[in-house]
Amino acid sequence: MIDIVKTSPYLDQKMGTAGLRKKTSIAMQKNYFENFMQSIFNTIPELSKKSFLVGGDGRYYNAIAIQKIIKIAAANGVKKLYVGKDGLVSTPASSHILLKNHLDGSFVLSASHNPGGIDGDFGIKYANASGGQCQPSESAAIFEQTKTITEYKIVDCPDFDLSEIGTFKCNQTEIEVIDPYVDYIQLMQSIFDFNSIKKLLTSGFRFVFDAMNGVTGPYAKKIFEEILGAPKGTVLNGKPLEDFGGLHPDPNLIYAKSLVDLMYSDKAPDFAAANDGDGDRNMILGKQFFVCPSDCLAILTNNYKLIPAYKNGIFGVAKSAATSLAVKHVAEALKIGYYEVPTGWKYFIHLMDTNRITFCGEESFGTGASYIREKDGIWATLFWLSIIAKTHKSIKEIAVTHWQQYGRNYYLRNDYEAIPQDIADKLMADLEQKLPALTGKTLKGYTISKAHPLIYNDPVDNTSTKNGLIIHFTNGSRIVYRLSGTGTIGATLRVYIERYVTDKLLEDPQTMLKDLEEVSRIIADIPARTNKEKPDIIT
Ligand code: VG1
Ligand code: CO
């Protein structure tokens, strides 16, 4: 039986950089999640012809939300839903399953690298038929729906068992519970030379993979331990847990601390990788060595010929504006296309669809390629393993050789968190106002050559503004300012700082960027406006 439930709108259901992201307690409010799902369905015509994928990273409330999606989709007459077994699917695997089956969209329940649990965060990433997250025009249409919604439809029936693969019906909607691993694993086998990686991993080479109790645990165990022969125990924190075992599943130097400590100890294995909650981010570490994500994109691009799927050539490469220029040097040397887009993976999609790029990446520990429309932590890990298997170099040697060839873009991101929204908005607005007057000014020896807002003209969709502000210096250094679109408490100001050098390759980034960090605070008047002398998080 279909219930038509009267409801009233919540006014905060605007999607950010990667879907809707909220405190779990907010997402659990009466009708909150139902309203949002109904609002999405209200924007999609001909639902009786449409099929979607549903899954999540296993965090708290996923199991409940998935049941709601099934019942709301069925009440709205959706043709078919594919559901990941046990309600799991990683973000990269979801993109592949969507594209492979020509689905019309997917709902991945995840707040990505944000903590989970009842006191943590909950979220939903909505992808369209492109295989990637919906475009700004679509999220705007959905937001409009959320502001006026008065009712939603839901099938009144008991919950479904999602622990077995199989097919059943809810109302007229066909529900197929699928294995969320098998297709993705085959895809990885079609890209990389598994034999050479297997040889490496069974030769005494020591590798650990930290799944941070997120969704990649089962993927990683199957790929690295079962198929590639790495010893049992290679995958750490490999069981998806509702609260990520208390971890903040964000693979960076701060939140993956136990892995970092291991890699800087005398027991360090040769190579380590970590993934975030939904499996799209990666951190790469060698013995006493950390690979900056911006460098990661540059190094992978530079080594594309080592990978079977790319050995015959690649299209161009793209990065978010906030990411360092390291990959630009590589693109110039390889004579391939190079693009800079706003933050958010959705901006890479049209560049992939039009064969402008093969690889892309963001400074926020995201790298990926055009075989899907999301970033992919396991893909990045397999890519690094392939480079090691073919070159027999350590992670540090690979990075240092790269810098010797191209120079080094020292890079840091400063995050100022939980700033009252109005103060953050005013800081950005005032800074934007003052940009034209900054040209020619010198601060701590750095002279500003130009300063402007980032405006992006997407080749297919609309022009996009409010993407951040960029300051260029005469010596090639840059500072980018923008407000986060994934936070759940107040506003987060992100300041991205980079400095390019061709000597002094092995210094500490904090030392090399000390003055420029100071300059970033002076230009935007950060301490006086936010009451923060220093950032809360530096990555
Ligand atoms: C952050 C990152 C951005 C990334 C986004 C989603 O967004 O900076 O690069 O695309 O998270 O990542 P923001 O707006 O907070 O800076 V994930 O792993 O959710 O898909
Ligand atoms: Co993520």
Side-chain angles (χ1 to χ4, degrees):
M1 197 187 84
I2 296 173
D3 277 349
I4 300 190
V5 181
K6 295 281 170 226
T7 185
S8 46
Y10 288 92
L11 297 177
D12 65 341
Q13 298 191 317
K14 191 172 189 170
M15 287 193 244
T17 318
L20 184 73
R21 211 165 284 189
K22 294 290 166 194
K23 296 297 312 163
T24 309
S25 54
I26 291 182
M28 288 172 69
Q29 294 171 96
K30 189 166 192 290
N31 295 343
Y32 190 95
F33 186 75
E34 289 86 342
N35 280 8
F36 187 68
M37 287 311 303
Q38 183 67 55
S39 297
I40 296 180
F41 287 132
N42 286 350
T43 66
I44 306 174
E46 297 191 287
L47 285 169
S48 62
K49 295 186 185 154
K50 302 283 160 83
S51 302
F52 301 91
L53 169 69
V54 187
D57 66 7
R59 73 179 57 219
Y60 183 76
Y61 202 56
N62 265 15
I64 295 166
I66 288 177
Q67 298 288 341
K68 289 184 197 280
I69 295 181
I70 296 174
K71 294 172 192 175
I72 296 169
N76 279 279
V78 163
K79 180 172 173 227
K80 179 163 181 178
L81 284 184
Y82 294 73
V83 185
K85 182 172 171 295
D86 299 319
L88 296 178
V89 69
S90 75
T91 290
S94 76
S95 183
H96 177 55
I97 295 168
L98 194 166
L99 291 168
K100 185 178 172 195
N101 296 291
H102 307 288
L103 306 185
D104 300 288
S106 72
F107 309 107
V108 174
L109 300 166
S110 172
S112 191
H113 54 287
N114 295 20
I118 190 144
D119 298 322
D121 293 345
F122 184 76
I124 174 163
K125 292 181 170 182
Y126 165 52
N128 62 23
S130 74
Q133 285 162 57
C134 66
Q135 292 297 315
S137 53
E138 290 165 281
S139 47
I142 294 165
F143 185 46
E144 284 310 310
Q145 288 292 324
T146 65
K147 290 193 278 192
T148 53
I149 188 164
T150 55
E151 60 182 40
Y152 65 84
K153 289 186 234 163
I154 189 159
V155 174
D156 180 17
C157 65
D159 283 354
F160 299 98
D161 176 10
L162 305 177
S163 66
E164 300 290 337
I165 284 163
T167 307
F168 52 85
K169 278 213 147 177
C170 176
N171 202 25
Q172 294 308 305
T173 302
E174 187 180 332
I175 317 290
E176 184 175 343
V177 178
I178 58 163
D179 177 325
Y181 312 111
V182 58
D183 289 341
Y184 177 80
I185 293 171
Q186 277 173 13
L187 175 70
M188 291 300 114
Q189 286 172 314
S190 74
I191 295 173
F192 297 102
D193 178 355
F194 268 46
N195 287 334
S196 82
I197 301 175
K198 185 167 189 175
K199 227 163 131 193
L200 175 76
L201 293 181
T202 51
S203 69
F205 178 84
R206 289 175 56 228
F207 159 56
V208 290
F209 180 93
D210 190 345
M212 302 191 85
N213 298 319
V215 74
T216 47
Y219 291 86
K221 279 190 196 160
K222 286 175 199 288
I223 293 174
F224 300 122
E225 296 183 5
E226 290 171 28
I227 301 175
L228 291 170
K232 277 229 150 24
T234 295
V235 177
L236 311 173
N237 299 314
K239 191 166 178 253
L241 299 175
E242 286 201 331
D243 65 348
F244 303 107
L247 289 179
H248 185 152
D250 192 353
N252 63 29
L253 293 174
I254 293 152
Y255 296 122
K257 188 163 184 311
S258 59
L259 186 70
V260 175
D261 288 347
L262 171 69
M263 294 310 287
Y264 281 82
S265 74
D266 24 317
K267 291 196 200 68
D270 301 297
F271 172 54
N275 275 191
D276 75 334
D278 64 330
D280 54 358
R281 295 184 175 209
N282 74 88
M283 175 172 67
I284 300 296
L285 298 160
K287 271 188 207 285
Q288 287 90 45
F289 194 82
F290 161 71
V291 182
C292 163
S294 296
D295 284 342
C296 179
L297 174 63
I299 293 169
L300 299 190
T301 305
N302 197 41
N303 284 287
Y304 75 87
K305 284 195 179 134
L306 302 180
I307 308 301
Y310 310 121
K311 69 171 191 297
N312 294 329
I314 53 174
F315 298 117
V317 59
K319 69 167 195 72
S320 68
T323 304
S324 96
L325 294 169
V327 74
K328 188 175 185 207
H329 307 307
V330 177
E332 280 163 3
L334 298 178
K335 297 191 172 47
I336 55 173
Y338 164 80
Y339 303 85
E340 198 173 88
V341 305
T343 294
W345 209 260
K346 53 173 137 340
Y347 294 103
F348 295 128
I349 293 175
H350 294 154
L351 296 173
M352 296 186 195
D353 287 348
T354 50
N355 286 342
R356 286 173 165 89
I357 62 166
T358 301
F359 296 151
C360 48
E362 294 187 303
E363 53 66 44
S364 54
F365 296 81
T367 21
S370 56
Y371 60 94
I372 53 170
R373 297 293 182 268
E374 294 280 1
K375 53 194 187 246
D376 188 345
I378 287 185
W379 175 87
T381 309
L382 286 166
F383 204 139
W384 277 95
L385 283 168
S386 308
I387 298 176
I388 301 163
K390 301 261 154 111
T391 63
H392 307 290
K393 286 191 180 135
S394 72
I395 298 292
K396 183 172 178 180
E397 284 163 350
I398 293 166
V400 173
T401 316
H402 187 89
W403 296 331
Q404 283 163 345
Q405 186 177 354
Y406 291 106
R408 178 168 179 190
N409 292 73
Y410 282 94
Y411 182 89
L412 284 175
R413 182 172 104 183
N414 289 186
D415 288 341
Y416 300 86
E417 295 184 330
I419 305 171
Q421 188 71 47
D422 52 337
I423 292 184
D425 288 339
K426 181 140 185 358
L427 184 151
M428 290 298 286
D430 290 351
L431 180 57
E432 182 164 356
Q433 279 280 311
K434 101 180 187 202
L435 289 180
L438 288 175
T439 308
K441 282 221 156 73
T442 301
L443 291 151
K444 291 192 167 279
Y446 289 85
T447 303
I448 296 170
S449 58
K450 82 188 156 164
H452 57 87
L454 173 69
I455 295 166
Y456 179 62
N457 294 306
D458 186 285
V460 179
D461 211 56
N462 308 316
T463 297
S464 148
T465 54
K466 293 263 170 233
N467 297 308
L469 310 172
I470 307 190
I471 310 218
H472 301 263
F473 296 87
T474 49
N475 65 356
S477 300
R478 302 194 318 162
I479 300 176
V480 174
Y481 298 85
R482 60 178 284 280
L483 298 182
S484 157
T486 61
T488 55
I489 311 167
T492 296
L493 170 66
R494 302 204 197 281
V495 186
Y496 309 84
I497 296 154
E498 81 173 278
R499 174 178 169 195
Y500 177 61
V501 296
T502 49
D503 54 356
K504 293 204 227 161
L505 296 177
L506 295 173
E507 305 297 319
D508 171 29
Q510 304 255 3
T511 313
M512 291 295 282
L513 296 171
K514 192 164 172 286
D515 283 350
L516 212 49
E517 284 184 303
E518 196 51 43
V519 168
S520 76
R521 284 191 275 274
I522 298 169
I523 293 178
D525 195 18
I526 295 173
R529 286 166 181 261
T530 66
N531 264 327
K532 291 173 191 276
E533 289 301 323
K534 291 273 139 72
D536 298 286
I537 302 271
I538 302 178
T539 47

